[in-house]
Every structure is written in C-alpha cells, then in structure tokens.
Amino acid sequence: MSSRPELQAPPEIFYNDTEARKYTSSSRIIEIQAKLSERALELLALPDDGVPRLLLDIGCGSGLSGETLSENGHQWIGLDISESMLNVASERDVDGDLLLGDMGQGLGLRPGVIDGAISISAVQWLCNADKSSHEPRLRLKAFFTSLYRCLARGARAVLQVYPENVAQRELILGFAMRAGFSGGVVVDFPHSTKSRKEYFVLTCGPPSLSTAVPKAKGEDGESCSDDESSGDEENQTVSISDRHRPRKKQKITKKGRGREWILKRKEHMRRKGNTVPPDTKYTARKRKARF
C-alpha cells in the first residue's frame, strides 16, 4: 500500500503541476470524487425548494467535487492551497470562484454568507506540522472557528476525511465542537476496508432535533461488507452533540504558583501575541504583609 499523501509532503508541494494533472485525468479519481461529493451534498440536507445555495468547497483541488455542486444547481466558492490544482481548475473552466489559501490560517470569509460547506479528503492534512511554524491544534482551531463564523445559522458542513487513527478523528472532532458546532461522525459501510468512508456532519449552532446525525449507508439490511455473520455490529453513526465539557482541574499546591509557573505563563502569552511586561528580578516576588 502506498504511503498516505499527507505524510509524503505538504499539499502545495505534493500536488505540483505533474501530480495535479495526473490526479485530474484519472477516471478512477473522477468517479470516486463524484460519489463522495454526491454523498456529502446529500448529508448537507439542503432544502428541496429549487433555490440555488452558495456553498463552500474546502480543498477544492481541480474542481472535481465542485462540478457535482454545479450539476445540482448551486453556486460555490472553492478554496485550495495548491496553486497547481487551481490552475488546472481554471483550465477546465469550472463554474465556481477559486481562492488560493491555507485553511489552517482561517478562511477569511464574511460572517454568515455561506449556506453550506463540503470538503473531500482535505481536513486531515491539518493534523500534520509541515513547517516549523505549524502547530496542528492552532491550525484546527483557526479553521473551525472561521468556518463556524462564515456559515449561516443552522447551516451544515460535511467534511469527508481519512483519519489516520482514532486519536486523529477525536482531535479533529474535538476542535469542531469547541468552535461551537454540534453533530457527529457518519461512517458509511463500517465493515468494509474498501468502501468505508467517514464524514463529519456538523451543524452551525447548538444541538437540537434538526441537528441529529443522519443514518450511515450500510444500515437497514444493506450489505456493507463481505462478512455479515457477526451479530455484534459496531455502531455506524457516532453522534456527539454535547458541547459542555468539564473544566480542567488546576493544580494548586499549598505553596501556590511560583516563579517558574509565572514565567511559563508569560512566555505562553507572548507567543499568542499579547503585550507582556518584561521579566525582572521582581517577577513573582511575594510582597511582604506590611512595609
């Protein structure tokens, strides 16, 4: 099995001119992208009223997934970090508006203007530190915070991902919940190694009846793998809608917080860009009870 693309090189380097054209000309890739995009659009659950929506395609690449949005009568904006991919999309004369940008630095769109968002095989790239300045947790926070901001209230984002492991899935979903999303994970065909697909189905707003996670494919007797003899099937829809998390307990000793803790805290605030007084010999020195 070939190595995962995100482990080989940063996306803007991996998807160079050669790889971008190779990717877009593959009939197998085109078919897979069409199926994943159709499923993502289905999970968006847009109103069936014939009104075109403005959708966001995150990691749009050469516009293969955007074509599905256009075929369904919607307008879309595509964002990608690979200039080579966007050049191919322009050559193909796709209908969407294309933006060159890094989703890990935030989306930079006006608040509440997007009616829905999809992403096909892109968000897991944020879990890798491709540069010394990259911190996956900060990049995930910037991405989900800006995504939540640009979506209309009640709108959905459907992110199809290939998490490397359970910890990576929980990391991504955790930052989505912290940003304010409700929803969970839909796993299609969970018992099939080839057909298994994971989608984060996120709703902009607090949990409600309308934010219930849709059913996964493979349920209701539909075959999802060659081996169906197991009576103890795993749950195919993982719903996580409670965004109330317990507060972390702070360690407070009898001695209190010393100089070392305060210096670390000040350094942390500096890295966040805050104005912090310089360290001196008086830093963290305890005042006497009286002069």
Side-chain angles (χ1 to χ4, degrees):
M1 180 182 292
S2 59
S3 178
R4 298 167 65 96
E6 61 267 25
L7 300 181
Q8 298 183 39
E12 65 272 28
I13 296 176
F14 181 84
Y15 289 109
N16 53 28
D17 291 342
T18 303
E19 190 65 30
R21 296 184 186 284
K22 177 182 174 183
Y23 184 93
T24 310
S25 61
S26 169
S27 57
R28 175 176 169 272
I29 293 294
I30 293 173
E31 182 182 1
I32 292 174
Q33 283 280 336
K35 289 181 179 179
L36 293 177
S37 304
E38 285 285 357
R39 178 59 170 154
L41 192 56
E42 178 186 347
L43 292 172
L44 273 183
L46 296 170
D48 189 15
D49 53 9
V51 178
R53 260 65 186 188
L54 177 61
L55 305 179
L56 177 63
D57 186 0
I58 305 161
C60 65
S62 56
L64 295 178
S65 50
E67 287 182 345
T68 300
L69 305 181
S70 297
E71 289 169 0
N72 283 269
H74 300 294
Q75 299 174 339
W76 57 278
I77 299 172
L79 174 78
D80 204 277
I81 195 174
S82 170
E83 188 173 0
S84 297
M85 278 289 203
L86 294 179
N87 287 339
V88 174
S90 297
E91 292 173 8
R92 298 176 64 245
D93 198 23
V94 296
D95 294 328
D97 296 319
L98 304 175
L99 299 176
L100 176 64
D102 179 4
M103 60 181 168
Q105 295 182 353
L107 302 178
L109 297 172
R110 290 172 56 190
V113 298
I114 302 298
D115 298 315
I118 69 167
S119 178
I120 307 299
S121 314
V123 175
Q124 71 271 6
W125 287 81
L126 291 175
C127 297
N128 297 283
D130 296 319
K131 300 178 182 177
S132 59
S133 60
H134 283 184
E135 168 52 53
R137 293 176 181 273
L138 294 179
R139 289 169 61 74
L140 284 166
K141 179 181 179 182
F143 168 65
F144 280 112
T145 301
S146 59
L147 177 60
Y148 187 90
R149 189 187 304 120
C150 74
L151 285 172
R153 190 72 169 177
R156 275 186 178 178
V158 177
L159 316 175
Q160 185 272 322
V161 297
Y162 291 108
E164 191 173 2
N165 47 46
V166 175
Q168 194 174 93
R169 180 195 303 126
E170 292 178 350
L171 177 68
I172 298 171
L173 191 60
F175 276 95
M177 297 299 153
R178 290 186 185 95
F181 286 102
S182 56
V185 184
V186 173
V187 183
D188 284 350
F189 310 108
H191 302 297
S192 172
T193 55
K194 284 188 176 182
S195 301
R196 179 187 173 97
K197 295 292 182 293
E198 296 188 21
Y199 300 84
F200 293 151
V201 182
L202 309 172
T203 302
C204 183
S208 66
L209 291 176
S210 62
T211 64
V213 179
K215 284 188 175 183
K217 287 187 176 181
E219 295 178 344
D220 300 327
E222 184 179 348
S223 175
C224 61
S225 69
D226 295 332
D227 183 12
E228 299 177 13
S229 59
S230 173
D232 227 7
E233 293 189 353
E234 70 181 66
N235 201 0
Q236 296 157 3
T237 302
V238 184
S239 177
I240 302 176
S241 57
D242 186 3
R243 296 186 290 111
H244 300 285
R245 299 168 303 283
R247 293 179 179 271
K248 290 184 177 179
K249 293 183 179 179
Q250 298 177 340
K251 288 186 178 180
I252 301 178
T253 62
K254 291 183 179 179
K255 295 182 180 179
R257 292 166 177 165
R259 178 181 172 83
E260 184 180 352
W261 183 90
I262 292 176
L263 291 176
K264 286 183 178 179
R265 185 64 181 170
K266 290 176 73 174
E267 183 60 30
H268 175 71
M269 297 296 287
R270 288 191 188 99
R271 287 198 297 268
K272 292 176 68 175
N274 296 330
T275 303
V276 181
D279 301 335
T280 68
K281 64 180 181 179
Y282 300 107
T283 300
R285 180 176 289 186
K286 187 176 180 181
R287 288 180 181 271
K288 292 183 180 179
R290 59 181 180 179
F291 293 94

